[in-house]
Structure formats: C-alpha cells, structure tokens
Amino acid sequence: MLRLLIFGTRGNWVRLAGIVVGVAIGVLLALLLVAGANALETRDIRSSWLQPAVNDLSTATTDDTIAARSDDIFGGERIDRLDIAAPAHAQAVLPGMEVPTPGTYKASPALTELIKNTPSTQLQDRYGEQVGTIPESLLASPDSLVVVVGGTPEGVSALLSAGVVDSFYAGAYGGNQNYQTIALVGALAVLIPAFLLVAVSTTLGSAARAERWQTLRTIGAPRKLVKRVALAEAAGTAVLGAALGVGGFFALRPLLALLPVAGERLIADDLAVSNTVVLVVAVAVVIGAVVAALRSARRTGSSATSQAVFEAAPRFARVIPLLAGLGLFFLVKTFAGQIPVPLVIPIVASFALIAMGLLIAGPYFTWLTGTWFARLAQAGDAVIASRRIVRTPRAGFRSVAGLVAATFLISVFAFSASASGSAGSYTSEPLLPENAVAANVKLDTDIAGASVKERLSRVSGITSVHFTYTDGEGIYIAGDDARMLTNHAFAGDIGELTGGIYSLAPDGPALHEATISTLDGLRINDIIAQTDSRAPSIEEARTALLTFEGVDRSAGVWTRAEHVVDTDSDLATQFAEIGRLAIVLVTFLTAAVLAIATTAALYDRKRTLSLLQLMGMPRNTLARIISWETLVPLLSILAPAVFLGWFTAYMLITSLSSRSLSWPDSLLGIALAATGLMVVVSILLAARVGNTIMRSSENNRRE
C-alpha cells in the first residue's frame, strides 16, 4: 500500500522528482554560500601579513622592524607592495619567508611571470634584484601580484606610510570588523531564499498528497498509518534531495574556485566546508520536511481538507518583529559608540529581524490589500481571487514570499553597492591630461627641478616634465606649465590647485589664480611626466619616478584615471562585486521559488479547480484568477520591500562607515525587470498546470 500511494502514478513520479530537485538546489546553494564565505575569510587571513599593524615611528628602536605598505600599478593591474627593513634579531618577522636585503625583492609567482615578460625599464627596475619567490601559502590567490622590497631603516622610514611593525597578523578583512559584519549579513541574506526554496519544495509534496491521505482516513486507516505515509514520502525525498545537493556541492566546488572575486581566482582548498556543517545543513532540511509532513498529516485527520479552508485574519502583531528590527537599527545608529557588545551582534540581529519580519508581516499586508480588493472586485475572476486572498491570506502570500524576499535583498545589495566611490563623485575639470603620471615628493625633501628634468629626459616616451610647488599651506603651479597641462584653459601667471594634483575637489574650480607673486623659495611638491600616450611610455615614466631619489613611493605614481579608480578601497570594491553577483544569484533563485510555490498552491486546490471545470469555467479565466492571486499579494508589499531594502542598506553602510549612498546599482533595474518577467512566466506556467489539473479525469470522476 505504501509503495502504491507514493509511487502509484506517473504524475507522482514527476512531482516527487520536482521535490527532490528543489531540495537539492537549496542544499547545494546553502553549502556553496558557506564555502564561499569561508574562502573569502580564509584568503584574507592568509594574506593579512600585507597589512601589518604598525606603531608610530617615534617608538622605533634598533631591534624593530619597519615597514611601509603601498599600492603599485602596471597595465591597469594593482600590485601590493611592502617595503621592509628588519634587523637580524627583530621580534616581528615576516611569516614563512626571510626578509629581502636592501636593493633586492621577492615577488609572487604571478608577478614574477609578469616581470619576466616585461622590459626591465617598465617594471623590474622599480624593485631591484629578485632573490626569491613569495610562497603561495602566503598569497590570497594564484593571481595575486605581490612584491616585498628590502630597504634600509632610514629609507623605509622616509616613506609616508611607514611605521614600526607590531604584528604581521591583522585577521580577516584586514582586521576590519565592519567588513566582517557586511560579509555575515550578505551570507545570511542569500541563505534566506535558498531555504525558502527548500520550504516551498517540501510544501509541494505535502499539498499534493493531502487528498489521498484524507482518503485513507475516510476508509478507516489509523492516524498512525497516515503519519507513516507522510513521513516516508517527506523523509525519503528530503534525504535523496539533500544527498544530491551535497554531491553536487563537491562536484561544483572546483568550478566555483575559477570564479574571480576582485579580479583574483579563489583556491579550491579554501572552499572547504566541515563535515559538521554539511551534516547540520542536510539534517536541518530533513527535519524541516518531516515537520511539514506531520503538520499536513495532522490537518488531514479532520474533515477540513475536504471542505473550503478558512484562515483566521492575521493580526497586527505580525508586524511587531519588523518594527523591532527597524527600532534596533535606529538604536545602533544612535548609540553605536556606547553599545557594550561587538557591533556585529546588533547589526546582524537588526537585519535578521527586518528580513524575517517582512516575511512574517506579509500575510497581514496581503489581508489588508485583499480586503480592499474584495470591495472593488466585480468580474468573476476578480471575485474568486479576492475571496481566496481574504480567506487564506497566509497561503496567498506564501506563493510570492520568495519574490518579496528577493526584492528586499536585491534592493539591499544594489543600494549598498552604490556606496563605493567612483569618478562621478568629483566634478572638477582635470588638471592632469590622460597621458601624464604624477609623483609626490617626500615631506622635508628639497630636490632640484633641473636635475629631475635632465634625468627624465633620458627616458623614452616622456615629452615634457612639470612641477607643482608648496609653501606648506597651498599647492601652486607656474602658468606656463598649467597651460600645457590644461590645453590653455588657464591664463594667469601662477595657479593654485584645489584638491591636489589629481584635481579631485568635489566642488569649485580645480585651478585658479594664486595670491602669491612668485614661486621662488618654494619646494617641489609633485613631479608630472607627460608622455606620448603609449602604454609602455607610461610604465617607463612610472618606473623612472618610483626609482627617483626623493619621491615618496608609498604614495604611488598614478595617472588621473588610475587615481580616481583607487579612491575606493579594495575591500569595498570586492564587496560591491560580490553584491552584484548576489543580485544575479537571488534573481534566478527566486524564479524557482516562485514557480514551485505557485504550482504548490494549485495542487492544494485541486478539488476547487475540478469543480470550476465541471461548472464550465473557460480556460483563460484560470489565468486571470492566478494573475490576481499573484499580483495582489505582491503589490501589497512590493513598495515596502524596496523601501526597507534602501533603509537597511543606508543604516548598514552609515553605521559602519562614513560613506553615503547614491543612486542604486544599475543591476537593480535589470533585476526588477527580470522579476516582473518571472511573474509573467510563472503565471503562464501555473495556468498551464492548473488547466492540466482541471482536465484530470481522476479528479472529474471523483466529483
């Protein structure tokens, strides 16, 4: 009997296969997300020595290690550079390798290969003589471009970013708890639709079997037998789906390692997930399926399943968790410096309350909108849909819960990504032309302009050399130089710069007439080398400036375009990229949730649909009914979901940093358009399934 009830028809096989696939995808995505989070944290911990914790140079002794962290660039690729000077008996030492001596360097394998294939005047001359390779165990990725340059204590101390090394271990995300918080919130955000997919897949199974279980009860089968049937189906499909999901995770893990994050591939070994986590995810899915089956079987014990099911009207109390999350965010924002626990705890709690509170409050908003819709409905399809929404608001919202969650999460990711800096944040006219690079001269260093020009004149590709000067307060440039750099946009004798040599002032002119009358006696502040625009010429000019005595290497040598891109930190860019990937993932995941949830709702109403078919309802009427039942619950909470997404992103970013939000990422519009398309496709598919159910000879014969 058990085999007949579960596997009796071809339709049952298809339905069970759908449940297994849905559970497998949910488990697979959950494990991939956990693995991805582990990989990001592991690779940041492994390369954290590149961002050593340093103390002020005034505390330096002869036993201390001195280091200066800086960014270099070649061909648009960023190079992590660490200048270091360490005595033989230093307490703070580089992990896993010896410190290179002055004039030598060690490079990562990827950078070593790049140096071999590049003329020395464009890259290698910046560092000296290579004496070794940085072990891969100290690198974030096989693609990492990293160089450690040995120097003297005096030379390294002269760099702007230099400090006495306290430790080479800064922890994940450079020890930045803000990014750790964002990573945790992001992982939790994408896990929500993954587990929704598992939940609705399980619901599809229990709904489709409800009437057969009721038949068992009608012919006198004991309640225990009904429960055994329910448990056998739920547990069997959940176990099989979980096993396929776990197997799929191990099969896809090498492919996930090829995914570039911030331009660098992951390492397959970093994507490891402990057996405990795998077991917890699989067991949680099976337990959830069993609990859902038991609840369905318990309801089957009454005559309710053979009649119309009415749900109690949701109460305002359903909105309380959502309001609690909003209130907790306000408290975090207002009293961030006075909270006695790590900020990650209340922030993650706030996000979880808002995300789950939105799903809990959904039936209440659906009921309110359905009540209003019922007063306006006049056509037959609208009346049928409105009555179901009012009488079963929880079931009505359940069909679109995944879409609502996705809209909220997509909004959070899209608005959060807008916090990254961009060139559009600055409105000044540029002082530097595109073919020029600029270097900053060390503080308290006086160099002669004539010697600089004489040396740079020997570098092929440099067409002219210019200088800015400083008196310790302002930065100035000769009128002739300004005219050459701005294509004669400046007419004065001496110009004063606003926002520095890269002209990144957020408002006002970048260059205006100076109040001083002469540049005599002022020291050189910046060296500007204009080139013939060829990429090799720009790199040779950059190398020449980086190796020039008196130039602050830790400040870098940049074109204006490179400097604008680098105004945002690497971690912020990395998280923005991950956010965009999450938008795409959540969008596709929601398509599966919506399709399965809508189909589950139709299976739950097989008897009603069969009766409507016998009464002569046209086929296109079902499509309109499904459209109303999908759109009304969705529209009731779509706008609040987008607003809450913006609010959550705003509170999250402004609570953790001094950044502000701008227009959302362009993927928001694309994702919302894709969401609208998913709604249309889901309605059409559901209508087709519904018509198939109505035409079922089995259902019609029974009625």
Side-chain angles (χ1 to χ4, degrees), residues 39 83 135 207 291 349 358 360 373 380 423 426 460 496 527-528 663 681 683:
D83 288 85
V291 170
L358 184 64
I360 294 173
F373 177 57
Y426 305 97
S460 63
E496 182 174 358
I527 304 172
I528 306 161
W663 288 102
V681 172
I683 289 173

Side-chain angles (χ1 to χ4, degrees), residues 352-621:
L353 281 172
I354 292 176
M356 300 308 299
L358 184 64
L359 297 178
I360 294 173
Y364 178 73
F365 291 114
T366 299
W367 177 77
L368 289 178
T369 307
T371 303
W372 169 80
F373 177 57
R375 296 193 186 101
L376 302 178
Q378 295 182 353
D381 52 279
V383 171
I384 294 173
S386 65
R387 293 301 182 267
R388 178 178 182 260
I389 293 171
V390 172
R391 293 172 177 174
T392 58
R394 285 186 288 277
F397 176 74
R398 192 181 304 124
S399 298
V400 298
L403 203 60
V404 171
T407 302
F408 166 72
L409 298 174
I410 288 170
S411 300
V412 172
F413 288 128
F415 281 106
S416 297
S418 73
S420 302
S422 65
S425 304
Y426 305 97
T427 58
S428 298
E429 292 297 324
L431 175 61
L432 283 182
E434 294 181 354
N435 62 351
V437 290
N440 184 253
V441 177
K442 296 176 185 176
L443 296 174
D444 302 325
T445 300
D446 195 5
I447 59 177
S451 64
V452 174
K453 287 188 175 183
E454 192 277 330
R455 177 174 173 180
L456 293 181
S457 66
R458 299 196 297 267
V459 178
S460 63
I462 294 181
T463 58
S464 61
V465 179
H466 313 277
F467 304 99
T468 68
Y469 302 84
T470 182
D471 57 2
E473 296 181 359
I475 300 176
Y476 309 94
I477 189 170
D480 291 340
D481 287 342
R483 280 184 282 277
M484 291 185 66
L485 293 172
T486 62
N487 195 21
H488 299 279
F490 181 76
D493 294 329
I494 299 177
E496 182 174 358
L497 280 66
T498 301
I501 187 61
Y502 298 103
S503 303
L504 298 181
D507 49 50
L511 185 65
H512 55 84
E513 184 69 32
T515 57
I516 63 174
S517 58
T518 180
L519 297 175
D520 293 341
L522 302 185
R523 74 173 184 86
I524 293 177
N525 189 74
D526 299 289
I527 304 172
I528 306 161
Q530 195 166 2
T531 72
D532 58 13
S533 300
R534 295 184 305 113
S537 298
I538 291 176
E539 296 305 336
E540 286 191 26
R542 194 195 315 270
T543 300
L545 288 172
L546 283 170
T547 56
F548 198 90
E549 187 67 30
V551 167
D552 185 1
R553 296 189 302 273
S554 65
V557 176
W558 310 87
T559 64
R560 184 177 189 270
E562 293 165 352
H563 191 278
V564 170
V565 171
D566 198 63
T567 54
D568 200 21
S569 69
D570 300 325
L571 279 173
T573 302
Q574 174 176 309
F575 276 92
E577 290 182 5
I578 295 172
R580 295 184 185 100
L581 178 62
I583 289 175
V584 176
L585 178 62
V586 169
T587 301
F588 282 103
L589 186 58
T590 302
V593 175
L594 181 62
I596 294 177
T598 306
T599 304
L602 290 174
Y603 272 108
D604 203 25
R605 302 161 63 202
K606 285 194 301 184
R607 185 168 186 246
T608 301
L609 295 177
S610 297
L611 289 172
L612 290 173
Q613 169 71 10
L614 292 173
M615 293 168 60
M617 183 184 72
R619 292 185 181 180
N620 58 357
T621 300

Side-chain angles (χ1 to χ4, degrees), residues 198-199 202-203 234-235 238 280-295:
V198 174
T202 305
T203 302
V280 167
V281 172
V283 170
V285 169
V286 174
I287 291 177
V290 169
V291 170
L294 286 175
R295 290 184 60 188

Side-chain angles (χ1 to χ4, degrees), residues 629-645:
E629 292 177 353
T630 302
L631 293 176
V632 171
L634 180 61
L635 295 177
S636 70
I637 201 169
L638 189 63
V642 174
F643 170 77
L644 287 171

